Amino acid sequence: MRWIVSFLFLVFFGVAPSHSSGSIVVMEIPNVTERDGSGLYDKVLARILNTSGLDVPVMYLPINRAIKDFENGKYSCVYPIGLQGITSLGKPSETVNFFSYQLFSLHHSYSTVEAVAAGNYSVNALDFDETKRLAEQHGLDVDFYIASNNSLAKMLALRHTDFVFAISPDFPLAFEEMYGKSKLMPIGEPLDKTQDGFICSEDEAGTKLLQHINIVLQEMDNQGELKQIFGPLYERR
Protein backbone atom coordinates (compact mmCIF):
# COMPACT_ATOMS: atom_id res chain seq x y z
CA MET A 1 0.00 0.00 0.00
CA ARG A 2 3.01 2.32 0.17
CA TRP A 3 2.58 3.33 -3.48
CA ILE A 4 -0.96 4.55 -2.67
CA VAL A 5 0.42 6.80 0.04
CA SER A 6 2.98 8.20 -2.40
CA PHE A 7 0.26 8.71 -4.99
CA LEU A 8 -2.05 10.56 -2.59
CA PHE A 9 0.81 12.83 -1.51
CA LEU A 10 1.52 13.68 -5.12
CA VAL A 11 -2.11 14.29 -6.07
CA PHE A 12 -2.99 16.46 -3.11
CA PHE A 13 0.23 18.42 -2.82
CA GLY A 14 1.18 18.54 -6.51
CA VAL A 15 4.78 17.51 -6.02
CA ALA A 16 6.38 16.01 -9.13
CA PRO A 17 8.46 12.92 -8.37
CA SER A 18 12.12 12.65 -9.18
CA HIS A 19 12.59 10.88 -12.51
CA SER A 20 15.75 9.23 -11.20
CA SER A 21 13.79 7.38 -8.50
CA GLY A 22 11.44 5.79 -11.01
CA SER A 23 7.86 6.97 -11.45
CA ILE A 24 4.72 6.44 -13.51
CA VAL A 25 2.46 9.10 -14.97
CA VAL A 26 -1.06 7.95 -15.82
CA MET A 27 -3.16 9.70 -18.44
CA GLU A 28 -6.56 10.61 -16.99
CA ILE A 29 -9.28 9.08 -19.19
CA PRO A 30 -12.84 8.79 -17.81
CA ASN A 31 -13.79 5.17 -17.03
CA VAL A 32 -10.39 4.00 -18.30
CA THR A 33 -7.99 5.51 -15.76
CA GLU A 34 -9.44 7.38 -12.80
CA ARG A 35 -7.73 9.00 -9.81
CA ASP A 36 -9.80 6.87 -7.44
CA GLY A 37 -8.56 3.69 -9.11
CA SER A 38 -11.99 2.75 -10.50
CA GLY A 39 -11.02 2.74 -14.19
CA LEU A 40 -10.70 -0.44 -16.22
CA TYR A 41 -6.97 0.07 -16.88
CA ASP A 42 -6.40 0.96 -13.22
CA LYS A 43 -7.01 -2.71 -12.41
CA VAL A 44 -4.03 -3.68 -14.56
CA LEU A 45 -1.81 -1.04 -12.97
CA ALA A 46 -2.80 -2.10 -9.44
CA ARG A 47 -2.07 -5.73 -10.25
CA ILE A 48 1.39 -4.82 -11.59
CA LEU A 49 2.28 -2.71 -8.57
CA ASN A 50 0.98 -5.22 -6.04
CA THR A 51 2.55 -8.28 -7.66
CA SER A 52 5.95 -6.79 -8.45
CA GLY A 53 6.30 -5.03 -5.11
CA LEU A 54 7.25 -1.82 -6.92
CA ASP A 55 7.38 1.18 -4.62
CA VAL A 56 7.12 4.06 -7.11
CA PRO A 57 5.16 7.31 -7.17
CA VAL A 58 2.12 7.35 -9.46
CA MET A 59 0.69 10.64 -10.76
CA TYR A 60 -2.53 11.10 -12.73
CA LEU A 61 -2.51 13.99 -15.21
CA PRO A 62 -4.51 15.17 -18.25
CA ILE A 63 -3.50 13.33 -21.42
CA ASN A 64 -1.47 16.02 -23.18
CA ARG A 65 0.34 17.09 -20.02
CA ALA A 66 1.16 13.49 -19.11
CA ILE A 67 2.77 12.89 -22.49
CA LYS A 68 4.65 16.20 -22.39
CA ASP A 69 5.97 15.62 -18.86
CA PHE A 70 7.11 12.11 -19.78
CA GLU A 71 8.92 13.42 -22.85
CA ASN A 72 10.52 16.13 -20.71
CA GLY A 73 11.96 13.48 -18.39
CA LYS A 74 9.76 14.06 -15.35
CA TYR A 75 8.51 10.47 -15.24
CA SER A 76 9.98 7.08 -16.05
CA CYS A 77 6.87 5.57 -17.66
CA VAL A 78 3.60 6.82 -19.15
CA TYR A 79 0.38 4.76 -19.19
CA PRO A 80 -1.94 3.86 -20.90
CA ILE A 81 -0.58 4.96 -24.24
CA GLY A 82 -0.57 3.73 -27.82
CA LEU A 83 2.64 1.82 -28.37
CA GLN A 84 3.12 3.38 -31.80
CA GLY A 85 2.76 6.86 -33.22
CA ILE A 86 2.17 8.97 -30.09
CA THR A 87 5.72 9.52 -28.84
CA SER A 88 9.07 8.70 -30.39
CA LEU A 89 10.77 8.43 -26.99
CA GLY A 90 11.23 5.40 -24.78
CA LYS A 91 10.59 1.68 -25.15
CA PRO A 92 7.14 0.05 -25.25
CA SER A 93 5.95 -2.61 -22.85
CA GLU A 94 4.16 -5.83 -23.61
CA THR A 95 0.64 -5.20 -24.89
CA VAL A 96 -2.04 -4.43 -22.29
CA ASN A 97 -4.87 -4.26 -24.80
CA PHE A 98 -5.79 -2.44 -28.02
CA PHE A 99 -7.63 0.81 -28.62
CA SER A 100 -9.41 1.52 -31.85
CA TYR A 101 -11.25 4.24 -33.74
CA GLN A 102 -14.73 2.84 -34.27
CA LEU A 103 -18.14 3.85 -35.55
CA PHE A 104 -21.07 3.04 -33.20
CA SER A 105 -24.85 3.07 -33.37
CA LEU A 106 -27.88 2.02 -31.34
CA HIS A 107 -30.46 2.08 -34.09
CA HIS A 108 -28.75 1.17 -37.36
CA SER A 109 -26.93 -2.02 -38.25
CA TYR A 110 -24.49 -1.84 -41.13
CA SER A 111 -21.64 -4.12 -42.01
CA THR A 112 -19.30 -1.44 -43.34
CA VAL A 113 -18.31 2.15 -42.69
CA GLU A 114 -18.58 2.76 -46.44
CA ALA A 115 -22.33 2.06 -46.30
CA VAL A 116 -22.74 4.70 -43.62
CA ALA A 117 -20.62 7.20 -45.53
CA ALA A 118 -22.75 6.68 -48.65
CA GLY A 119 -26.03 7.20 -46.79
CA ASN A 120 -27.83 10.31 -45.57
CA TYR A 121 -27.18 9.97 -41.84
CA SER A 122 -26.12 12.23 -39.01
CA VAL A 123 -22.68 11.44 -37.60
CA ASN A 124 -21.09 13.06 -34.57
CA ALA A 125 -17.51 12.37 -33.58
CA LEU A 126 -15.03 12.83 -30.78
CA ASP A 127 -13.12 16.09 -31.12
CA PHE A 128 -9.65 14.65 -31.61
CA ASP A 129 -7.09 15.15 -34.37
CA GLU A 130 -6.97 11.48 -35.32
CA THR A 131 -10.76 11.08 -35.48
CA LYS A 132 -10.91 14.11 -37.78
CA ARG A 133 -8.22 12.69 -40.04
CA LEU A 134 -9.80 9.24 -40.22
CA ALA A 135 -13.32 10.59 -40.77
CA GLU A 136 -12.12 12.64 -43.72
CA GLN A 137 -10.08 9.73 -45.07
CA HIS A 138 -13.08 7.39 -45.01
CA GLY A 139 -15.64 9.88 -46.32
CA LEU A 140 -17.67 10.30 -43.13
CA ASP A 141 -19.65 13.55 -43.21
CA VAL A 142 -19.42 14.58 -39.54
CA ASP A 143 -22.03 17.06 -38.33
CA PHE A 144 -20.32 18.03 -35.07
CA TYR A 145 -17.10 17.19 -33.25
CA ILE A 146 -17.81 16.85 -29.53
CA ALA A 147 -15.18 17.03 -26.78
CA SER A 148 -16.87 14.63 -24.33
CA ASN A 149 -17.71 10.93 -24.62
CA ASN A 150 -20.56 11.53 -22.18
CA SER A 151 -22.07 14.15 -24.49
CA LEU A 152 -21.73 11.82 -27.44
CA ALA A 153 -23.39 9.02 -25.48
CA LYS A 154 -26.32 11.26 -24.55
CA MET A 155 -26.79 12.37 -28.16
CA LEU A 156 -26.86 8.77 -29.34
CA ALA A 157 -29.21 7.61 -26.57
CA LEU A 158 -31.65 10.45 -27.29
CA ARG A 159 -31.50 9.78 -31.05
CA HIS A 160 -29.98 13.18 -31.74
CA THR A 161 -27.49 11.44 -33.98
CA ASP A 162 -27.52 8.20 -35.94
CA PHE A 163 -23.86 7.30 -35.49
CA VAL A 164 -20.96 8.19 -33.21
CA PHE A 165 -17.34 7.96 -34.28
CA ALA A 166 -15.14 7.63 -31.21
CA ILE A 167 -12.42 5.62 -29.50
CA SER A 168 -12.92 2.17 -28.02
CA PRO A 169 -12.85 1.20 -25.17
CA ASP A 170 -13.36 4.79 -23.96
CA PHE A 171 -16.74 5.41 -25.59
CA PRO A 172 -18.36 2.01 -24.84
CA LEU A 173 -17.28 2.36 -21.21
CA ALA A 174 -18.74 5.87 -20.98
CA PHE A 175 -22.00 4.73 -22.56
CA GLU A 176 -22.30 1.78 -20.19
CA GLU A 177 -21.56 4.00 -17.19
CA MET A 178 -24.44 6.30 -18.17
CA TYR A 179 -27.01 3.83 -19.52
CA GLY A 180 -25.96 0.38 -18.37
CA LYS A 181 -25.67 -2.63 -20.63
CA SER A 182 -27.09 -1.77 -24.03
CA LYS A 183 -27.29 -2.81 -27.64
CA LEU A 184 -24.52 -0.44 -28.64
CA MET A 185 -23.28 -1.76 -31.97
CA PRO A 186 -19.83 -1.30 -33.51
CA ILE A 187 -20.21 -0.70 -37.25
CA GLY A 188 -17.84 -2.57 -39.53
CA GLU A 189 -14.17 -2.98 -38.78
CA PRO A 190 -12.26 -0.34 -36.77
CA LEU A 191 -10.92 2.46 -38.93
CA ASP A 192 -7.64 2.13 -37.08
CA LYS A 193 -6.37 -0.01 -34.21
CA THR A 194 -3.18 0.01 -32.18
CA GLN A 195 -1.71 -1.77 -29.19
CA ASP A 196 -1.57 0.11 -25.90
CA GLY A 197 0.37 -0.28 -22.70
CA PHE A 198 3.31 1.47 -21.02
CA ILE A 199 6.18 3.37 -22.60
CA CYS A 200 9.24 3.79 -20.39
CA SER A 201 12.39 5.85 -20.65
CA GLU A 202 15.60 4.10 -21.65
CA ASP A 203 17.60 5.18 -18.61
CA GLU A 204 18.25 2.92 -15.63
CA ALA A 205 15.01 3.77 -13.78
CA GLY A 206 12.81 3.31 -16.84
CA THR A 207 14.52 0.09 -17.88
CA LYS A 208 14.09 -1.41 -14.41
CA LEU A 209 10.42 -0.47 -14.26
CA LEU A 210 9.79 -1.85 -17.74
CA GLN A 211 11.32 -5.20 -16.79
CA HIS A 212 8.99 -5.55 -13.80
CA ILE A 213 5.97 -4.39 -15.81
CA ASN A 214 6.61 -6.85 -18.63
CA ILE A 215 7.02 -9.82 -16.30
CA VAL A 216 3.62 -9.19 -14.71
CA LEU A 217 1.88 -8.41 -18.03
CA GLN A 218 3.14 -11.66 -19.55
CA GLU A 219 1.92 -13.57 -16.51
CA MET A 220 -1.49 -11.85 -16.61
CA ASP A 221 -1.95 -12.61 -20.30
CA ASN A 222 -0.83 -16.24 -19.96
CA GLN A 223 -3.25 -16.79 -17.07
CA GLY A 224 -6.16 -15.08 -18.82
CA GLU A 225 -6.33 -12.19 -16.35
CA LEU A 226 -6.23 -9.49 -19.01
CA LYS A 227 -9.11 -11.17 -20.85
CA GLN A 228 -11.02 -11.36 -17.58
CA ILE A 229 -10.46 -7.67 -16.79
CA PHE A 230 -11.38 -6.34 -20.24
CA GLY A 231 -14.17 -8.80 -20.96
CA PRO A 232 -15.73 -8.18 -24.41
CA LEU A 233 -13.31 -5.27 -24.91
CA TYR A 234 -10.34 -7.65 -24.81
CA GLU A 235 -8.51 -7.98 -28.13
CA ARG A 236 -6.77 -11.27 -28.87
CA ARG A 237 -2.97 -10.95 -29.40
Side-chain angles (χ1 to χ4, degrees):
M1 299 296 288
R2 293 173 61 190
W3 70 272
I4 297 178
V5 176
S6 299
F7 158 66
L8 291 173
F9 178 83
L10 293 169
V11 169
F12 289 109
F13 294 95
V15 179
S18 167
H19 182 59
S20 61
S21 67
S23 52
I24 299 172
V25 61
V26 179
M27 301 192 294
E28 290 182 287
I29 306 172
N31 304 301
V32 176
T33 44
E34 302 270 11
R35 286 178 179 243
D36 64 1
S38 62
L40 195 61
Y41 278 65
D42 291 316
K43 297 177 183 179
V44 178
L45 178 60
R47 170 72 159 80
I48 290 170
L49 294 173
N50 291 335
T51 300
S52 65
L54 289 171
D55 183 15
V56 297
V58 177
M59 174 73 93
Y60 283 63
L61 293 175
I63 292 174
N64 290 336
R65 183 180 167 192
I67 295 171
K68 182 179 179 181
D69 281 2
F70 168 72
E71 292 180 333
N72 287 337
K74 293 184 178 180
Y75 300 94
S76 305
C77 300
V78 58
Y79 169 80
I81 187 170
L83 301 184
Q84 296 178 351
I86 296 180
T87 179
S88 60
L89 301 180
K91 294 185 67 174
S93 70
E94 296 290 326
T95 300
V96 171
N97 201 30
F98 289 75
F99 73 87
S100 59
Y101 297 88
Q102 182 81 53
L103 198 65
F104 296 95
S105 182
L106 279 177
H107 321 295
H108 302 278
S109 178
Y110 284 89
S111 59
T112 67
V113 174
E114 289 74 18
V116 176
N120 185 25
Y121 301 104
S122 61
V123 179
N124 289 324
L126 186 68
D127 189 7
F128 192 62
D129 287 345
E130 190 65 4
T131 53
K132 293 178 180 178
R133 184 188 71 80
L134 289 168
E136 181 178 354
Q137 177 182 328
H138 290 268
L140 290 173
D141 186 13
V142 176
D143 297 327
F144 298 102
Y145 284 95
I146 310 297
S148 164
N149 278 316
N150 287 353
S151 296
L152 284 171
K154 185 176 181 180
M155 295 178 75
L156 189 61
L158 296 177
R159 296 183 178 239
H160 292 170
T161 186
D162 296 314
F163 297 93
V164 161
F165 180 44
I167 298 174
S168 178
D170 308 22
F171 180 74
L173 288 172
F175 196 95
E176 182 177 326
E177 176 73 15
M178 295 175 68
Y179 299 104
K181 297 289 185 181
S182 69
K183 296 181 179 179
L184 185 68
M185 296 177 290
I187 306 301
E189 294 296 320
L191 273 63
D192 194 16
K193 182 170 72 173
T194 186
Q195 297 158 297
D196 62 27
F198 296 77
I199 291 182
C200 298
S201 59
E202 298 187 62
D203 60 10
E204 182 178 355
T207 299
K208 182 179 179 180
L209 275 176
L210 186 60
Q211 289 173 346
H212 286 288
I213 289 167
N214 281 338
I215 289 171
V216 180
L217 285 177
Q218 288 173 353
E219 178 182 308
M220 293 180 71
D221 198 32
N222 291 339
Q223 296 180 357
E225 288 184 68
L226 291 177
K227 185 176 182 179
Q228 183 178 7
I229 288 172
F230 290 105
L233 297 173
Y234 176 82
E235 294 275 359
R236 191 174 300 278
R237 278 50 181 155

